[in-house]
Amino acid sequence: MNLLSPDSFEKVLLPNAEAHCLPAWCYSDEEFFELERKAVFGRAWVGVGRQELLEKPGDYRTLEVAGTPIIIVRGEDNELRAFSNACRHRGMRLLEGEGSCNAISCPFHGWKYKLNGDLLGVPHMEQAVGFDRKTFGLTPVRLGVSDGFIFVCLDPDQVSLSDWLGDFSERHAPYGFENLRCTRQTTYEVACNWKPFVEVFMEYYHLKWVHAGTFDSIDYRPPVPHEVTTGNYTTVFGFHNEGSAAVIDADAANALPPIPGLPADLQRATRCTMVFPGFIMAATKDCMWYFECHPVSAGKSRFVLGTCFPEETIAQPGFEEIQKAYQKRWHLGAMEDVEVLERQQLGLASPLATSGPLSHLEYAVGDLAKFIARQVTSQA
Ligand code: FES
């Protein structure tokens, strides 16, 4: 196989009704994984969660994007910024995990950076000839916020976040994403490539088989034709019967109120969206949930689930107790999917695995495949 040959993706790039999935080796080959990391995640605006989770000046989190360690921190001026998580002296990883700090101090030789990245203090450097503290601030990484979501981009030449997202904000405006608050985060370590996880989130085809008895009775009816977007994202909108898609049928009677201002027709519908490459979210009558996508290797991934509700809903008496039914459904849905995806991975890793055609219920899978094919072949 030639990883960069357009011939490898000929069937992927056909219109969705004729297209095939990505070749199976795109899900299991470590060389392709490295290429994807560089050509896809290294160039995209990558969604990394919610701005309200870093609420106060000094709040930070660390993560890796395309294998690059990054710090996201809120400055004293309330601005969110991203930096390389490597000391400008001898490369020490500066922060781990998440927390809050007044300044970023290197544990190796004590260099200290302000929250805006400026180098503040440098012990025992007075004899270093030509050393100018002002030129050794933390290396910045592009960061943008849209609809309450944080995005980072390692590529200085990439278009702006606004251009990357196109009509994303307009299409999701009825849900008022910027007014929602994340109430909980849950991390899932999954023994599969990152793509099957985000693909299954975006297709209705599997519901009847994988979620039989849990939420297969929702009776999704996604519209045909598939919606066209102007941004680097794909979306699936479907009407369903009354009630929230975020609780199982048994808990429907105890559901939370609708998102304030959400039109009546959208109160019996769900919109699932994937901002390429792998930031996925679903919005329904009363809430929104999303998964951050963190590829680990060709056969391993990490996903962070964030669950978001309107402030008014969170403030209502008994919210914590009622929220448990939602968390139960999200966990159940994830575990039912993961069981299948880890088995799919075993099949995809077979040298005899082939890629098949797509149902009209999984056109978003075709959209992701086309995005990846175009990104990796543009490197050729
Ligand atoms: Fe950070 Fe030396 S590596 S102060």
Side-chain angles (χ1 to χ4, degrees):
M1 73 200 164
N2 180 349
L3 299 184
L4 296 177
S5 166
D7 294 346
S8 300
F9 301 104
E10 198 178 340
K11 286 187 176 168
V12 170
L13 293 170
L14 292 171
N16 278 331
E18 303 164 56
H20 281 205
C21 325
L22 285 165
W25 45 262
C26 295
Y27 297 83
S28 60
D29 184 86
E30 291 294 348
E31 196 184 339
F32 186 79
F33 176 80
E34 287 306 324
L35 172 66
E36 204 175 52
R37 203 178 223 187
K38 184 163 156 255
V40 179
F41 284 86
R43 290 161 63 194
W45 280 97
V46 177
V48 288
R50 298 284 300 176
Q51 64 171 349
E52 68 271 15
L53 294 171
L54 299 172
E55 195 181 8
K56 301 183 299 302
D59 287 354
Y60 70 85
R61 67 172 292 201
T62 62
L63 69 158
E64 284 194 5
V65 173
T68 304
I70 285 173
I71 300 166
I72 299 176
V73 61
R74 193 175 287 280
E76 280 162 10
D77 56 0
N78 229 20
E79 283 296 307
L80 280 170
R81 294 181 180 84
F83 300 105
S84 159
N85 191 3
C87 183
R88 291 295 306 279
H89 177 219
R90 282 168 55 198
M92 178 76 182
R93 194 146 87 169
L94 291 160
L95 293 174
E96 302 284 347
E98 56 188 44
S100 194
C101 61
N102 296 322
I104 298 169
S105 299
C106 182
F108 203 168
H109 311 98
W111 284 29
K112 197 171 183 179
Y113 302 88
K114 288 166 72 173
L115 298 178
N116 68 2
D118 290 350
L119 183 56
L120 191 61
V122 280
H124 308 302
M125 289 294 290
E126 59 280 356
Q127 293 181 35
V129 177
F131 171 68
D132 179 1
R133 181 164 63 81
K134 289 196 264 326
T135 63
F136 281 87
L138 292 176
T139 304
V141 171
R142 296 174 80 188
L143 179 147
V145 175
S146 180
D147 303 87
F149 294 113
I150 302 172
F151 294 84
V152 292
C153 179
L154 293 166
D155 183 354
D157 299 322
Q158 188 52 269
V159 298
S160 68
L161 176 61
S162 166
D163 285 349
W164 183 263
L165 292 176
D167 58 1
F168 173 91
S169 295
E170 192 185 329
R171 182 168 265 116
H172 296 84
Y175 296 99
F177 282 171
E178 66 282 4
N179 300 321
L180 304 182
R181 297 288 172 269
C182 184
T183 58
R184 192 168 299 178
Q185 295 180 94
T186 309
T187 299
Y188 293 91
E189 307 279 349
V190 189
C192 74
N193 184 269
W194 66 275
K195 293 186 289 298
F197 193 100
V198 300
E199 288 168 351
V200 82
F201 189 88
M202 294 297 297
E203 55 101 337
Y204 293 78
Y205 200 7
H206 73 291
L207 292 180
K208 190 174 165 192
W209 290 272
V210 177
H211 303 293
T214 46
F215 42 92
D216 62 319
S217 67
I218 283 176
D219 186 25
Y220 289 100
R221 295 182 290 273
V224 177
H226 189 47
E227 288 175 80
V228 175
T229 78
T230 64
N232 284 290
Y233 74 96
T234 182
T235 189
V236 179
F237 175 82
F239 285 107
H240 46 73
N241 48 6
E242 290 297 327
S244 172
V247 286
I248 61 172
D249 296 346
D251 294 316
N254 200 22
L256 292 161
I259 291 172
L262 191 68
D265 59 334
L266 295 188
Q267 293 184 28
R268 48 183 184 83
T270 297
R271 178 174 288 289
C272 298
T273 295
M274 178 198 301
V275 180
F276 299 138
F279 190 50
I280 48 178
M281 65 199 71
T284 190
K285 176 182 179 179
D286 47 3
C287 61
M288 178 272 289
W289 65 105
Y290 65 88
F291 282 94
E292 290 175 33
C293 169
H294 300 282
V296 175
S297 66
K300 286 197 175 9
S301 316
R302 182 180 310 112
F303 289 89
V304 181
L305 165 67
T307 61
C308 304
F309 296 88
E311 277 182 354
E312 299 88 330
T313 301
I314 295 169
Q316 83 168 43
F319 170 76
E320 270 307 319
E321 195 56 33
I322 300 173
Q323 184 189 201
K324 287 179 186 169
Y326 289 70
Q327 299 296 340
K328 180 175 79 178
R329 177 257 183 254
W330 284 314
H331 183 64
L332 189 62
M335 295 322 291
E336 286 178 345
D337 281 337
V338 164
E339 186 180 341
V340 168
L341 299 176
E342 294 187 341
R343 204 163 140 185
Q344 181 190 9
Q345 184 69 27
L346 298 176
L348 285 166
S350 162
L352 298 181
T354 58
S355 69
L358 298 165
S359 157
H360 67 282
L361 295 175
E362 48 189 356
Y363 281 175
V365 175
D367 292 343
L368 174 65
K370 287 176 179 52
F371 174 79
I372 291 172
R374 289 186 182 119
Q375 294 297 112
V376 296
T377 54
S378 70
Q379 292 279 290

